[in-house]
Amino acid sequence: MSNQTNQRELNDFELQINLEDAFAQLECDDNNSSLFKSLETIIYLAQNQSIENLATQIGKTYNEAINYIFYCKQRLMQYPPIRPCWERVSKKSIFPPEEQDWIDLLAGKSVPDAAPEIVRETQIFRAALLSYSDKPKEADEIPYPHILEKVLARLEAEKQQPISKKKV
């Protein structure tokens, strides 16, 4: 892997972290509760939920739901903490044929003939959405409790092994 590729991946990860921080800031921004609902709509799609399910949930037809998704995206991209991140990742405007590619990629589907810029943009955005939505919302909530349980079980098992059988 070239140094340029490593640098791009690092920049993409930095953008993802910045987007996650902007999402968290939006969640705490009481003046933008309707914009936070837009974020929740986009997260719903990123979590592999179908557009049909989304349409039913928000009381719209399939085509209205697609239009609503783009409306949510456009609103989110104008939120000041998100805008600079988006400008760094999105180098071109999405035109109608590419809109469906963006929706499909956001929903986790494969789109073999999608433009590389759209794929990159959507991958970064989707990763940020999913990572943000997986983070604990309560301060005392433990992230990834199933991992902690496995680690504790492994430590307990190692503690019960005789000293001579432990790996050094």
Side-chain angles (χ1 to χ4, degrees), residues 161-168:
Q161 282 184 353
I163 293 175
S164 61
K165 291 189 178 185
K166 286 186 180 179
K167 294 179 183 176
V168 179

Side-chain angles (χ1 to χ4, degrees), residues 1-157:
M1 196 178 287
S2 74
N3 191 28
Q4 186 178 15
T5 303
N6 286 335
Q7 187 61 40
R8 181 175 176 181
E9 287 176 359
L10 182 60
N11 289 339
D12 289 356
F13 184 67
E14 178 187 348
L15 283 167
Q16 177 186 331
I17 298 297
N18 290 340
L19 281 168
E20 288 176 47
D21 290 344
F23 298 156
Q25 188 174 344
L26 175 58
E27 182 178 16
C28 297
D29 187 346
D30 293 334
N31 296 326
N32 281 303
S33 60
S34 68
L35 187 57
F36 186 69
K37 291 203 179 297
S38 293
L39 177 63
E40 289 176 326
T41 298
I42 300 289
I43 288 172
Y44 184 83
L45 183 61
Q47 292 174 327
N48 299 321
Q49 300 299 322
S50 71
I51 294 173
E52 291 85 358
N53 288 346
L54 176 63
T56 301
Q57 186 179 34
I58 61 176
K60 297 187 180 293
T61 67
Y62 180 87
N63 288 335
E64 288 171 337
I66 288 176
N67 290 334
Y68 182 67
I69 291 166
F70 281 105
Y71 168 75
C72 291
K73 177 188 174 194
Q74 294 306 322
R75 288 189 66 216
L76 285 171
M77 297 315 120
Q78 297 307 311
Y79 184 61
I82 293 174
R83 183 184 294 161
C85 300
W86 196 255
E87 288 171 352
R88 284 179 57 196
V89 73
S90 185
K91 302 297 183 207
K92 67 179 213 166
S93 298
I94 297 179
F95 298 103
E98 295 171 322
E99 289 176 352
Q100 190 60 48
D101 290 349
W102 188 84
I103 286 178
D104 289 343
L105 289 165
L106 186 66
K109 296 178 183 174
S110 175
V111 184
D113 56 343
E117 302 87 19
I118 301 297
V119 172
R120 177 176 176 256
E121 166 188 316
T122 310
Q123 285 176 337
I124 293 169
F125 194 61
R126 184 171 191 264
L129 288 167
L130 294 174
S131 180
Y132 167 76
S133 68
D134 283 346
K135 287 185 179 175
K137 302 302 181 216
E138 301 296 323
D140 61 344
E141 189 177 338
I142 297 173
Y144 309 108
H146 63 287
I147 295 173
L148 180 61
E149 289 173 16
K150 287 180 182 179
V151 169
L152 291 175
R154 181 177 287 164
L155 288 172
E156 186 63 33

